[in-house]
Amino acid sequence: MATDKEQVEEFLGIVKTSLDEYVAGIDFDALSAAKQLILDAEKNGGRVHVTGIGKPGHVSGYAASLFSSTGTPTYELHGTECVHGSAGQVLSGDVVIAISNSGETGELKATVTCLKKNGAKIIALTGNPQSWLAQQGDVVLVAGVKQEGDSMNKPPRASILAEVIELQCLSILLQNEFGLTPEKYVTWHPGGALGASIRAGK
């Protein structure tokens, strides 16, 4: 067996290659379209939600928090609870970012189908541009990787990083559109060392 250092270096090398390939293929027009879909919804009183199943479900919580703290109020939508009543938090005209690496997850299919019937717009974030989810999206953001980071190539590692980066890219566009300033940011993030650093002018 390889040493611990060799195992970690192999993982980091795989991840670096995967993410380099992903970044080289980012569709900037799709990111712009996603930004515009959200801005148009907000102009009409619509809101933004993020959902996913499994690991992408945890990504959705991070994205909702990041977007909300940078000028775009966003709500996490539980991927399976949606079809058990939580779909009621999504109104017609709202935008839902639905995350699935395969784009074929059965539970998310049920959620997206329900949301579309209720009039939501879908931003599909997937690693598979030919997937069911991609076909359902009003906008499709592709964050795919060939290798996750280990010999099984199954546990989601690199794909999760790609999804997070794609959402961070979208958050930058929305933050700049909003015109976020440190003075405004600290009103939403007064706590911790981050809030203190802004109040101290650092």
Side-chain angles (χ1 to χ4, degrees):
M1 177 182 291
T3 66
D4 290 350
K5 180 174 183 287
E6 289 169 341
Q7 292 175 56
V8 172
E9 286 179 337
E10 180 184 14
F11 164 69
L12 292 175
I14 293 171
V15 168
K16 182 179 185 303
T17 298
S18 291
L19 292 181
D20 284 347
E21 291 175 352
Y22 151 68
V23 169
I26 287 177
D27 186 338
F28 298 103
D29 290 338
L31 282 167
S32 295
K35 178 196 76 171
Q36 195 60 51
L37 189 69
I38 290 171
L39 294 177
D40 290 345
E42 288 184 326
K43 287 178 183 176
N44 294 313
R47 302 166 304 162
V48 183
H49 313 259
V50 194
T51 191
I53 304 294
K55 307 299 184 294
H58 297 292
V59 173
S60 69
Y62 163 72
S65 178
L66 175 64
F67 282 33
S68 294
S69 72
T70 53
T72 303
T74 302
Y75 305 87
E76 182 179 4
L77 175 63
H78 195 284
T80 54
E81 291 296 326
C82 177
V83 296
H84 295 278
S86 293
Q89 80 177 57
V90 182
L91 303 178
S92 179
D94 283 3
V95 174
V96 178
I97 302 172
I99 312 169
S100 171
N101 183 42
S102 70
E104 301 291 345
T105 305
E107 300 96 324
L108 195 63
K109 286 184 177 182
T111 290
V112 169
T113 298
C114 172
L115 294 170
K116 288 185 59 121
K117 286 182 179 178
N118 290 340
K121 300 292 185 181
I122 303 296
I123 296 175
L125 175 53
T126 180
N128 181 2
Q130 278 74 51
S131 65
W132 180 91
L133 179 59
Q135 294 172 13
Q136 302 303 308
D138 295 279
V139 176
V140 182
L141 301 177
V142 179
V145 298
K146 295 178 182 177
Q147 294 291 329
E148 289 284 7
D150 70 356
S151 58
M152 289 195 298
N153 196 31
K154 296 298 181 185
R157 292 188 175 97
S159 62
I160 292 295
L161 294 174
E163 289 163 1
V164 168
I165 292 170
E166 190 81 11
L167 290 164
Q168 289 172 334
C169 290
L170 180 56
S171 78
I172 288 291
L173 298 181
L174 291 167
Q175 172 182 318
N176 290 338
E177 195 73 33
F178 178 78
L180 185 64
T181 63
E183 293 75 20
K184 188 61 174 178
Y185 184 62
V186 77
T187 66
W188 297 325
H189 199 310
L194 196 160
S197 71
I198 296 176
R199 289 193 299 274
K202 296 180 180 178

